[in-house]
Amino acid sequence: MKWYIIKRLLMLIPVLLGTSIIAFSLIHLAPGDPARTMAGEHASQRTINAIREKYGLDKPIYIQYGIWLNRALHGDMGRSIVSNEYVTKEILDRFPNTFELTFFAMILAIAIGTMAGIISASKQYSALDYTFMGIALFGISMPVFWLGIMLMMIFGVYLRWLPIGGRINILIPFHRITGFYLLDSIITGNFAALISTLRYLILPSTALATIPMATIARVSRSSMLEVLRQDFIRTERAKGLSERVVIYKHAVRNAMIPVITVIGLNFGLLLAGAILTETVFSWPGIGRYVVSAVRMRDYPAVQGCVLFFAFVFVIVNLVTDIMYVYIDPRIHYE
Amino acid sequence: MERKRETKTGELIRRFKYNKSAVFGLVIVLVLVLCAILANYIAPNNPTPSPPELFNSLKPGFWSEDGIKGMPLGTDALGRCVLSRILYGARVSLSAGFVAVGIAMLLGITFGVTAGYYGGRVDAVIMRMVDIMFAFPALLLAIVIVTVIGQGLSKAMVAIGIVYAPQMARIIRSSVLYIKEMEYIEVQKAIGSSNWRVIFRHVLPNSMAPVIVYGTLMLATAILDCAALGFLGLGAQPPTPEWGAMLSKSYSYIVSGAWWAATFPGIAILFSVLGLNLLGDGLRDILDPRLKT
């Protein structure tokens, strides 16, 4: 087990180096002089020379990569062309927003997805089963940005139940400590802010949760069905255990193993979905940041976001793999 | 020999017919293809009138008395017929999906077969490259590629094709690894067939089942991602009638009550993706029961 984790960690090194090369080469693959690209369109010759000097852009490419990687490892991704702020700072400022959105969406997806899957499987071919699986089928085919717009239109514009965009009602006094709105409002005991934050969170996280929720529901159903066909379940039923105990205590435990892999795999979809959801709901997160950075050709910002997303994604996959071994003792990686 | 193959195809068709959801998926896809092919004939209006008919801006469709005759699904902000744009959009989205998946297949087959067939160091290098590309969420990688090669529909297709190639390469590699060990391949090698001949005559044709299945499912996500890029303003540019771009240009008007221009293109995307998913799942059940999840 310990060796497996170490081996898995070592395997990360080439992948992370590869992603850094991709991020690094962005500026060099783009047409034009990298120094000018980094300085922005309207920069003076002096600024461009200063940047060329600072990032060693007159040196051979592998030395440039070394300089860039060294800086990146120290948290310096350069400055944004648009705001002239440090990219690292801009990303860290937005990280809590993206985290709260994706975290909330994931919880929704896992809770509702697995429940729907388990119920569907235990009542296979019932009306409930068909309903859930019908919804799930639409769910996996859903364009998340369109779903976001529809939710916004129904619950925001017509019913006026929920706000259509942003993070919190700006009229509510709010004290920022960690940047995590939910956490901050709980720490400061600001009940009004907590309610407001939650209200702003519901629509985007529902939109974002839909696709993973549908996938999780489908996988948990088929995995449950497979487990329910096994001998030990028949034995338990023969022993006279109640259906409830058989399903929730014994079958679910075994059925959840493949579901965990799917949850890990879906995390990538969730990050991609966050890019779209944040754009629809004017959510001030990293997804929206990367889109505006691409539109503005703000290369340092794009590089920073790319590295950030890849890093998060790789770590999540690692955690999934390790959890998989941990949960299923039948699996041994040597 | 010939008769045997025929009966096999016949059996596949029979199995397909029994799979209700696959047939339903096929029907949706066929309707979509027909819309795309016949867009010039069945679209009631010009999807991109020039100059824009601004006096027709955001008029509702058949459900309202304020609607314009001949524009059943209403008009968008520039007074263009939403239905016509959706029909022409089928052409744009379908061809974008096909081109993207085509690129993915070409790259994926090349790298996948090379890795699987030759093995060893070549395999290791290709698979590490694949691992690296898997470290990015697909849409993000597509966005990154678009940053470098530029925005626009054709570039979005290329970007998505590149992004999907590793997935295809992995699928093909694993099926080549399996086929490579078969006896008939050994026989071919023993009688001195060249590697090229073995690959093109024997390995490739026998690894096509997963390619067809995943190609269909990939077509669904390619259409979705292409629409997503269009929505973000990085794919199809105006005035191209592309579903994602139509959404991005219309959704700000829902606040003023014009729901139709942002609703119908999304339904078109949803049903295309749904149809392809159903068809892909059905093909998987029929062609390769081992892949069933």
Side-chain angles (χ1 to χ4, degrees), chain A residues 268-307:
Chain A
L269 268 181
L270 205 67
L271 288 181
I275 296 175
L276 296 163
T277 317
E278 289 181 359
T279 306
V280 172
F281 287 98
S282 319
W283 191 265
I286 302 171
R288 189 160 165 252
Y289 183 59
V290 72
V291 172
S292 73
V294 169
R295 283 194 193 136
M296 299 292 217
R297 306 204 152 268
D298 188 349
Y299 286 92
V302 178
Q303 286 182 317
C305 295
V306 165
L307 269 192

Side-chain angles (χ1 to χ4, degrees), chain A residues 52 58 70 82 159 181 183 219 236 239 295 307 324:
Chain A
R52 186 168 290 135
D58 42 2
N70 187 30
V82 177
L159 297 172
Y181 278 64
L183 199 64
V219 173
E236 290 187 342
K239 261 188 347 191
R295 283 194 193 136
L307 269 192
Y324 201 60

Side-chain angles (χ1 to χ4, degrees), chain A residues 9-48:
Chain A
L9 278 173
L10 286 176
M11 272 166 65
L12 281 188
I13 296 172
V15 171
L16 285 176
L17 275 178
T19 54
S20 75
I21 290 174
I22 291 182
F24 168 74
S25 36
L26 264 176
I27 282 189
H28 296 269
L29 290 174
D33 172 15
R36 181 169 285 278
T37 315
M38 283 172 81
E41 265 173 55
H42 307 291
S44 66
Q45 194 57 44
R46 246 182 64 205
T47 330
I48 294 170

Side-chain angles (χ1 to χ4, degrees), chain A residues 229-281:
Chain A
R229 273 199 289 270
Q230 281 175 16
D231 288 342
F232 77 95
I233 296 288
R234 191 167 359 118
T235 314
E236 290 187 342
R237 282 185 176 144
K239 261 188 347 191
L241 288 181
S242 74
E243 194 61 19
R244 167 165 291 211
V245 173
V246 171
I247 287 177
Y248 289 97
K249 201 150 172 236
H250 300 274
V252 167
R253 270 192 184 178
N254 288 284
M256 283 306 113
I257 293 164
V259 177
I260 286 169
T261 327
V262 170
I263 291 171
L265 287 175
N266 263 280
F267 198 81
L269 268 181
L270 205 67
L271 288 181
I275 296 175
L276 296 163
T277 317
E278 289 181 359
T279 306
V280 172
F281 287 98

Side-chain angles (χ1 to χ4, degrees), chain A residues 11 14-20 22-23 25-27 29-31 137-146 149-150 152-153 157-158 160 164 211 218 222 226 267-269 271-273 275-276 279-282 290-291 293-295 297 299 302 305-307 309-311 313-314 317, chain B residues 21 24 128 131-141 143-151 221 224-229 231-234 243-245 247-248 251 254-260 262-275 277-278 281 284 292-293:
Chain A
M11 272 166 65
V15 171
L16 285 176
L17 275 178
T19 54
S20 75
I22 291 182
S25 36
L26 264 176
I27 282 189
L29 290 174
L137 189 62
F138 274 89
I140 56 161
S141 314
M142 192 67 82
V144 51
F145 46 100
W146 179 72
I149 295 170
M150 290 299 110
M152 199 163 149
M153 191 167 87
V157 178
Y158 283 96
R160 297 192 179 277
I164 57 171
I211 298 178
R218 280 159 63 104
S222 63
E226 204 146 291
F267 198 81
L269 268 181
L271 288 181
I275 296 175
L276 296 163
T279 306
V280 172
F281 287 98
S282 319
V290 72
V291 172
V294 169
R295 283 194 193 136
R297 306 204 152 268
Y299 286 92
V302 178
C305 295
V306 165
L307 269 192
F309 273 119
F311 185 73
F313 193 32
V314 165
N317 283 342
Chain B
S21 56
F24 183 57
R128 285 300 82 73
D131 282 347
I132 290 167
M133 287 179 77
F134 268 115
F136 297 94
L139 184 67
L140 180 73
L141 193 53
I143 290 176
V144 168
I145 296 172
V146 166
T147 317
V148 173
I149 63 177
Q151 302 166 4
T221 43
L224 207 53
D225 280 347
C226 222
L229 285 179
F231 177 74
L232 293 173
L234 306 173
W243 294 335
L247 275 177
S248 80
Y251 86 94
I254 58 173
V255 183
S256 55
W259 54 270
W260 50 91
T263 303
F264 296 118
I267 294 177
I269 303 174
L270 175 60
F271 273 92
S272 326
V273 177
L274 184 72
N277 275 335
L278 287 173
D281 279 345
R284 179 177 54 195
K292 199 166 181 177
T293 45

